[in-house]
Amino acid sequence: MNEKMNSEEIQLIAFNIILHSGNAKMQIHSAFKAMREADFSTADQLLEDANQEILLAHQSQTELLQSYANGTKIEMEIIMVHAQDHLMTTMTLREMAIEMSYLYEQNHKLSATLRG
């Protein structure tokens, strides 16, 4: 095949990854706020919504990898490095938020039990 992906195509994919990762990150931070307020159903929904945004970002990433696997030459641009970093840190933040949600909920239940 030996096509070459042009700079505009790479930038479009990168900005798509950044967009969806950013949306997910905002939802995760909103989930943290809901956790602090003991609104765990809202937190769970926000984390699921964040996951859907991450999946959209990941879909763009997968399309890029499939193009590469099919022989398309892709010259790495700094914006793509930034996009990948953004996606990976957002994915990690979501994983941590899921764990923290569990801890917040356990703490809330324990506090309620102690208050009687």
Side-chain angles (χ1 to χ4, degrees), residues 78-114:
I78 192 69
I79 192 67
M80 185 56 74
V81 174
H82 175 67
Q84 295 297 319
D85 182 53
H86 205 317
L87 176 57
M88 297 309 297
T89 56
T90 301
M91 291 171 71
T92 301
L93 181 63
R94 182 179 170 273
E95 291 169 13
M96 295 300 297
I98 290 167
E99 291 299 317
M100 289 187 71
S101 182
Y102 173 78
L103 294 173
Y104 269 108
E105 192 164 1
Q106 295 306 307
N107 184 51
H108 181 72
K109 288 177 184 177
L110 181 59
S111 294
T113 300
L114 293 174

Short mmCIF file of all heavy atoms in Angstrom, two decimals, residues 78-114:
data_model
loop_
_atom_site.label_atom_id
_atom_site.label_comp_id
_atom_site.label_asym_id
_atom_site.label_seq_id
_atom_site.Cartn_x
_atom_site.Cartn_y
_atom_site.Cartn_z
N ILE A 78 4.11 15.88 17.26
CA ILE A 78 4.06 16.14 18.70
C ILE A 78 2.63 16.17 19.21
O ILE A 78 2.35 15.75 20.33
CB ILE A 78 4.84 17.44 19.06
CG1 ILE A 78 5.05 17.54 20.58
CG2 ILE A 78 4.14 18.66 18.53
CD1 ILE A 78 6.00 16.54 21.15
N ILE A 79 1.69 16.61 18.39
CA ILE A 79 0.29 16.66 18.83
C ILE A 79 -0.24 15.25 19.08
O ILE A 79 -1.06 15.02 19.97
CB ILE A 79 -0.60 17.46 17.84
CG1 ILE A 79 -1.98 17.75 18.47
CG2 ILE A 79 -0.74 16.74 16.52
CD1 ILE A 79 -1.94 18.67 19.64
N MET A 80 0.25 14.28 18.30
CA MET A 80 -0.18 12.89 18.51
C MET A 80 0.41 12.34 19.80
O MET A 80 -0.24 11.60 20.52
CB MET A 80 0.21 12.02 17.32
CG MET A 80 -0.32 10.60 17.43
SD MET A 80 -2.12 10.46 17.64
CE MET A 80 -2.68 10.86 16.00
N VAL A 81 1.65 12.71 20.10
CA VAL A 81 2.25 12.30 21.36
C VAL A 81 1.42 12.86 22.52
O VAL A 81 1.10 12.15 23.48
CB VAL A 81 3.72 12.77 21.45
CG1 VAL A 81 4.30 12.47 22.83
CG2 VAL A 81 4.55 12.11 20.36
N HIS A 82 1.04 14.12 22.42
CA HIS A 82 0.22 14.76 23.45
C HIS A 82 -1.14 14.04 23.57
O HIS A 82 -1.62 13.79 24.68
CB HIS A 82 0.02 16.23 23.11
CG HIS A 82 -0.92 16.93 24.04
ND1 HIS A 82 -0.62 17.16 25.36
CD2 HIS A 82 -2.17 17.44 23.82
CE1 HIS A 82 -1.65 17.79 25.93
NE2 HIS A 82 -2.59 17.96 25.03
N ALA A 83 -1.74 13.72 22.44
CA ALA A 83 -3.04 13.05 22.45
C ALA A 83 -2.95 11.69 23.14
O ALA A 83 -3.82 11.33 23.95
CB ALA A 83 -3.57 12.89 21.02
N GLN A 84 -1.92 10.93 22.81
CA GLN A 84 -1.74 9.61 23.42
C GLN A 84 -1.53 9.74 24.93
O GLN A 84 -2.08 8.97 25.71
CB GLN A 84 -0.55 8.88 22.77
CG GLN A 84 -0.76 8.56 21.31
CD GLN A 84 -1.92 7.61 21.08
OE1 GLN A 84 -2.12 6.66 21.82
NE2 GLN A 84 -2.71 7.89 20.07
N ASP A 85 -0.74 10.72 25.32
CA ASP A 85 -0.50 10.96 26.74
C ASP A 85 -1.80 11.33 27.45
O ASP A 85 -2.10 10.83 28.53
CB ASP A 85 0.54 12.07 26.90
CG ASP A 85 0.87 12.34 28.35
OD1 ASP A 85 1.23 11.39 29.08
OD2 ASP A 85 0.79 13.52 28.76
N HIS A 86 -2.57 12.18 26.82
CA HIS A 86 -3.85 12.62 27.37
C HIS A 86 -4.78 11.41 27.58
O HIS A 86 -5.39 11.25 28.64
CB HIS A 86 -4.48 13.62 26.41
CG HIS A 86 -5.44 14.58 27.03
ND1 HIS A 86 -6.39 14.22 27.96
CD2 HIS A 86 -5.62 15.90 26.83
CE1 HIS A 86 -7.11 15.27 28.30
NE2 HIS A 86 -6.65 16.31 27.62
N LEU A 87 -4.86 10.56 26.58
CA LEU A 87 -5.74 9.38 26.66
C LEU A 87 -5.29 8.43 27.76
O LEU A 87 -6.11 7.99 28.58
CB LEU A 87 -5.78 8.65 25.31
CG LEU A 87 -6.59 7.36 25.28
CD1 LEU A 87 -8.03 7.58 25.71
CD2 LEU A 87 -6.52 6.75 23.88
N MET A 88 -4.02 8.14 27.82
CA MET A 88 -3.53 7.19 28.81
C MET A 88 -3.69 7.71 30.24
O MET A 88 -4.07 6.96 31.14
CB MET A 88 -2.06 6.83 28.54
CG MET A 88 -1.85 6.13 27.20
SD MET A 88 -2.93 4.70 26.92
CE MET A 88 -2.41 3.62 28.21
N THR A 89 -3.44 9.00 30.46
CA THR A 89 -3.61 9.53 31.82
C THR A 89 -5.09 9.56 32.20
O THR A 89 -5.43 9.31 33.37
CB THR A 89 -2.98 10.92 31.99
OG1 THR A 89 -3.54 11.81 31.03
CG2 THR A 89 -1.48 10.87 31.84
N THR A 90 -5.96 9.82 31.25
CA THR A 90 -7.40 9.82 31.53
C THR A 90 -7.88 8.41 31.86
O THR A 90 -8.69 8.21 32.77
CB THR A 90 -8.20 10.41 30.35
OG1 THR A 90 -7.74 11.74 30.12
CG2 THR A 90 -9.69 10.42 30.64
N MET A 91 -7.37 7.42 31.14
CA MET A 91 -7.74 6.04 31.43
C MET A 91 -7.29 5.64 32.84
O MET A 91 -8.04 5.00 33.58
CB MET A 91 -7.13 5.10 30.38
CG MET A 91 -7.77 5.26 29.01
SD MET A 91 -6.90 4.37 27.70
CE MET A 91 -7.29 2.69 28.13
N THR A 92 -6.10 6.06 33.21
CA THR A 92 -5.59 5.77 34.55
C THR A 92 -6.40 6.49 35.61
O THR A 92 -6.73 5.91 36.66
CB THR A 92 -4.10 6.15 34.64
OG1 THR A 92 -3.37 5.42 33.66
CG2 THR A 92 -3.54 5.87 36.03
N LEU A 93 -6.75 7.74 35.34
CA LEU A 93 -7.56 8.51 36.28
C LEU A 93 -8.90 7.82 36.51
O LEU A 93 -9.39 7.75 37.64
CB LEU A 93 -7.76 9.94 35.77
CG LEU A 93 -8.57 10.87 36.67
CD1 LEU A 93 -7.85 11.09 38.00
CD2 LEU A 93 -8.81 12.20 35.95
N ARG A 94 -9.51 7.30 35.46
CA ARG A 94 -10.80 6.61 35.60
C ARG A 94 -10.64 5.36 36.45
O ARG A 94 -11.48 5.08 37.31
CB ARG A 94 -11.39 6.24 34.24
CG ARG A 94 -12.75 5.58 34.37
CD ARG A 94 -13.37 5.23 33.03
NE ARG A 94 -14.53 4.40 33.26
CZ ARG A 94 -14.49 3.08 33.36
NH1 ARG A 94 -13.35 2.42 33.25
NH2 ARG A 94 -15.59 2.38 33.58
N GLU A 95 -9.59 4.60 36.22
CA GLU A 95 -9.36 3.40 37.03
C GLU A 95 -9.21 3.77 38.51
O GLU A 95 -9.76 3.08 39.38
CB GLU A 95 -8.13 2.67 36.54
CG GLU A 95 -8.32 2.02 35.17
CD GLU A 95 -7.02 1.52 34.56
OE1 GLU A 95 -6.00 1.44 35.26
OE2 GLU A 95 -7.04 1.22 33.36
N MET A 96 -8.48 4.84 38.78
CA MET A 96 -8.32 5.29 40.17
C MET A 96 -9.66 5.77 40.74
O MET A 96 -9.95 5.52 41.92
CB MET A 96 -7.28 6.41 40.25
CG MET A 96 -5.87 5.98 39.87
SD MET A 96 -5.21 4.67 40.92
CE MET A 96 -5.17 5.49 42.49
N ALA A 97 -10.45 6.43 39.94
CA ALA A 97 -11.75 6.93 40.41
C ALA A 97 -12.68 5.78 40.77
O ALA A 97 -13.43 5.87 41.75
CB ALA A 97 -12.39 7.81 39.34
N ILE A 98 -12.63 4.70 40.02
CA ILE A 98 -13.45 3.53 40.34
C ILE A 98 -13.06 2.99 41.71
O ILE A 98 -13.92 2.68 42.55
CB ILE A 98 -13.33 2.46 39.24
CG1 ILE A 98 -14.02 2.95 37.96
CG2 ILE A 98 -13.92 1.13 39.70
CD1 ILE A 98 -13.71 2.12 36.72
N GLU A 99 -11.77 2.88 41.96
CA GLU A 99 -11.29 2.40 43.25
C GLU A 99 -11.67 3.37 44.38
O GLU A 99 -12.10 2.95 45.45
CB GLU A 99 -9.77 2.19 43.23
CG GLU A 99 -9.34 1.03 42.35
CD GLU A 99 -9.92 -0.31 42.80
OE1 GLU A 99 -9.94 -0.59 44.02
OE2 GLU A 99 -10.37 -1.06 41.93
N MET A 100 -11.52 4.65 44.11
CA MET A 100 -11.84 5.65 45.14
C MET A 100 -13.34 5.67 45.43
O MET A 100 -13.75 5.90 46.57
CB MET A 100 -11.32 7.01 44.73
CG MET A 100 -9.80 7.07 44.81
SD MET A 100 -9.15 8.71 44.53
CE MET A 100 -9.66 9.51 46.04
N SER A 101 -14.15 5.44 44.42
CA SER A 101 -15.60 5.40 44.63
C SER A 101 -15.96 4.30 45.62
O SER A 101 -16.77 4.49 46.53
CB SER A 101 -16.33 5.19 43.31
OG SER A 101 -17.73 5.19 43.52
N TYR A 102 -15.32 3.15 45.44
CA TYR A 102 -15.54 2.04 46.37
C TYR A 102 -15.15 2.46 47.80
O TYR A 102 -15.89 2.23 48.75
CB TYR A 102 -14.74 0.81 45.93
CG TYR A 102 -14.78 -0.31 46.93
CD1 TYR A 102 -15.89 -1.14 47.04
CD2 TYR A 102 -13.72 -0.52 47.81
CE1 TYR A 102 -15.94 -2.16 47.98
CE2 TYR A 102 -13.76 -1.53 48.75
CZ TYR A 102 -14.87 -2.35 48.83
OH TYR A 102 -14.92 -3.34 49.77
N LEU A 103 -14.00 3.10 47.94
CA LEU A 103 -13.53 3.52 49.26
C LEU A 103 -14.45 4.58 49.87
O LEU A 103 -14.77 4.53 51.07
CB LEU A 103 -12.10 4.05 49.18
CG LEU A 103 -11.05 3.00 48.81
CD1 LEU A 103 -9.69 3.67 48.58
CD2 LEU A 103 -10.96 1.92 49.86
N TYR A 104 -14.87 5.56 49.06
CA TYR A 104 -15.80 6.58 49.56
C TYR A 104 -17.09 5.93 50.05
O TYR A 104 -17.63 6.30 51.10
CB TYR A 104 -16.14 7.59 48.46
CG TYR A 104 -15.26 8.80 48.38
CD1 TYR A 104 -14.34 8.95 47.35
CD2 TYR A 104 -15.37 9.83 49.31
CE1 TYR A 104 -13.55 10.08 47.25
CE2 TYR A 104 -14.59 10.97 49.23
CZ TYR A 104 -13.68 11.09 48.20
OH TYR A 104 -12.91 12.21 48.11
N GLU A 105 -17.59 4.97 49.27
CA GLU A 105 -18.84 4.34 49.64
C GLU A 105 -18.69 3.52 50.92
O GLU A 105 -19.56 3.56 51.80
CB GLU A 105 -19.35 3.45 48.49
CG GLU A 105 -20.77 3.00 48.69
CD GLU A 105 -21.42 2.47 47.44
OE1 GLU A 105 -20.75 2.42 46.37
OE2 GLU A 105 -22.61 2.09 47.52
N GLN A 106 -17.59 2.79 51.05
CA GLN A 106 -17.35 2.03 52.28
C GLN A 106 -17.22 2.97 53.48
O GLN A 106 -17.76 2.68 54.56
CB GLN A 106 -16.08 1.17 52.14
CG GLN A 106 -16.19 0.07 51.10
CD GLN A 106 -17.40 -0.82 51.33
OE1 GLN A 106 -17.60 -1.35 52.41
NE2 GLN A 106 -18.22 -0.97 50.30
N ASN A 107 -16.52 4.07 53.31
CA ASN A 107 -16.37 5.06 54.38
C ASN A 107 -17.73 5.64 54.77
O ASN A 107 -18.02 5.83 55.95
CB ASN A 107 -15.40 6.15 53.94
CG ASN A 107 -15.12 7.14 55.05
OD1 ASN A 107 -14.77 6.76 56.15
ND2 ASN A 107 -15.29 8.42 54.74
N HIS A 108 -18.55 5.94 53.77
CA HIS A 108 -19.87 6.49 54.04
C HIS A 108 -20.72 5.50 54.83
O HIS A 108 -21.39 5.89 55.80
CB HIS A 108 -20.55 6.85 52.70
CG HIS A 108 -21.90 7.45 52.87
ND1 HIS A 108 -22.10 8.72 53.35
CD2 HIS A 108 -23.13 6.95 52.62
CE1 HIS A 108 -23.39 8.98 53.39
NE2 HIS A 108 -24.04 7.91 52.95
N LYS A 109 -20.69 4.23 54.46
CA LYS A 109 -21.46 3.20 55.16
C LYS A 109 -20.96 3.04 56.60
O LYS A 109 -21.76 2.94 57.53
CB LYS A 109 -21.36 1.88 54.43
CG LYS A 109 -22.14 1.83 53.14
CD LYS A 109 -21.94 0.51 52.42
CE LYS A 109 -22.64 0.50 51.09
NZ LYS A 109 -22.38 -0.76 50.35
N LEU A 110 -19.65 3.03 56.77
CA LEU A 110 -19.07 2.90 58.11
C LEU A 110 -19.45 4.10 58.98
O LEU A 110 -19.84 3.94 60.14
CB LEU A 110 -17.55 2.76 58.02
CG LEU A 110 -16.81 2.60 59.34
CD1 LEU A 110 -17.29 1.37 60.10
CD2 LEU A 110 -15.31 2.55 59.09
N SER A 111 -19.36 5.29 58.41
CA SER A 111 -19.73 6.49 59.18
C SER A 111 -21.19 6.46 59.59
O SER A 111 -21.53 6.83 60.72
CB SER A 111 -19.47 7.74 58.33
OG SER A 111 -18.09 7.89 58.10
N ALA A 112 -22.06 6.01 58.68
CA ALA A 112 -23.49 5.91 59.00
C ALA A 112 -23.73 4.91 60.11
O ALA A 112 -24.55 5.14 61.02
CB ALA A 112 -24.27 5.55 57.75
N THR A 113 -23.00 3.81 60.09
CA THR A 113 -23.14 2.78 61.13
C THR A 113 -22.67 3.32 62.47
O THR A 113 -23.34 3.10 63.50
CB THR A 113 -22.30 1.53 60.74
OG1 THR A 113 -22.76 1.02 59.50
CG2 THR A 113 -22.42 0.45 61.81
N LEU A 114 -21.58 4.04 62.48
CA LEU A 114 -21.05 4.58 63.74
C LEU A 114 -21.95 5.66 64.33
O LEU A 114 -22.01 5.82 65.55
CB LEU A 114 -19.63 5.12 63.52
CG LEU A 114 -18.56 4.08 63.22
CD1 LEU A 114 -17.24 4.74 62.89
CD2 LEU A 114 -18.41 3.10 64.36
#
